[in-house]
Amino acid sequence: MDRPSGGAPRRACVSAGWGAWAPTIGRVGTPEQSTTGGPEARWAVRLAGLAGSCHPGPVVAVTALMAALAVTAGQGAGRCVLTGAAVLTGQLSVGWCNDAFDARRDIAADRHGKPVVDGTVGVTEVWVAAYAALALCVPLSLACGLWAGAVHLAGVGAAWAYDLRLKATAWSWAPYAVGFAALPAFVALGLPGRPWPAWWVVTAGALLGVGAHLGDVLPDIRGDLATGVRGWPHRLGPDGARLLLPVPLVAASAVLVLGPAGPPGRWGLAVLVVTALVAVTGTVLGRRWERAAFAAAVAVAVADVALLLLRGTGIA
């Protein structure tokens, strides 16, 4: 939800600068101009810019995670492919929507490494790609079942709402919570018998979403504030966002360890203790080195993802 992705990129799925690898062929004055250097530009360059503009890192990560969760949850091979395709198109639509909508502000802020800013692809092309991906996402989601499709599309819709409006409000955390909670629920509802997802997997997903929002914003929070972005983390300020960052992630760890039926086991408690220690260490070190807080949050998030996959058989 990233792609349910402060300023750009901010999704599901929450990732600024994922398009940095795309070739650069010139600057542009406005996002309405053609950014391809004219009709003689090679299609390969346009496609590279379009790929970079979708925030490929979060798109690949979220799609791979949900495909893996579908496997561990017990979906059949065909359904796993369908689930992965629905998630992929949804994340692509969110990423392209984000870059297209933020084009003017990104150019004004001179954010190099973004294909629209660097002149690799035009904003109109990115909008067309976003709507095309969204159009594909609808039938692919509904093919997984009416309830499953409705839940997934609600998560994608929340991410679009973030891109188009909510990112600059105190409610910027809500689309992340909805989008991340919808993903494991989508997988669970796609299982045979359409079972409702377990409460703990939805809760953990929502907490991971809030943590992803804080982590996504933190590296660029000062630049976002300079351009007038006033989302929830920005209202907390750099120090407040840094201090709060590990809280939802460690809470997600606790839910994933303690939520499923049965005793958590020694390994579960050990993971919970380790994630808490890593989070506290990162927060303390983050007072002097901001990257330490972000790195610790990433480590806790990776542990949460591993816990989610290990608990996959009980998500419904």
Side-chain angles (χ1 to χ4, degrees), residues 1 6 17 30 47 51 64 85 88-90 96 119 134 139 141 165 181 194 207 215 268 279 283 292 305-306 309:
M1 119 150 220
T30 73
L47 291 176
L88 174 62
T89 52
W96 279 323
L134 183 62
S141 298
R165 177 71 182 98
R194 308 291 192 265
L207 289 168
T283 301
V305 168
L309 292 177

Side-chain angles (χ1 to χ4, degrees), residues 6 101 158-172 175 235:
F101 187 79
W160 272 69
Y162 174 89
D163 286 345
L164 299 177
R165 177 71 182 98
L166 294 179
K167 74 172 64 176
T169 74
W171 290 93
S172 61
R235 295 166 194 245

Side-chain angles (χ1 to χ4, degrees), residues 60-173:
V60 171
V62 173
T63 302
L65 172 60
M66 288 304 104
L69 183 60
V71 172
T72 60
Q75 288 190 4
R79 179 53 59 85
C80 287
V81 171
L82 190 58
T83 297
V87 173
L88 174 62
T89 52
Q91 294 298 304
L92 286 171
S93 76
V94 173
W96 279 323
C97 171
N98 183 277
D99 258 28
F101 187 79
D102 283 346
R104 288 188 182 279
R105 187 169 55 80
D106 288 340
I107 290 173
D110 200 27
R111 286 187 169 175
H112 290 287
K114 304 198 76 174
V116 172
V117 178
D118 292 339
T120 305
V121 67
V123 68
T124 300
E125 294 169 308
V126 179
W127 273 124
V128 170
Y131 283 115
L134 183 62
L136 287 172
C137 180
V138 174
L140 287 171
S141 298
L142 294 175
C144 295
L146 180 60
W147 281 110
V151 166
H152 183 238
L153 291 175
V156 173
W160 272 69
Y162 174 89
D163 286 345
L164 299 177
R165 177 71 182 98
L166 294 179
K167 74 172 64 176
T169 74
W171 290 93
S172 61
W173 59 272

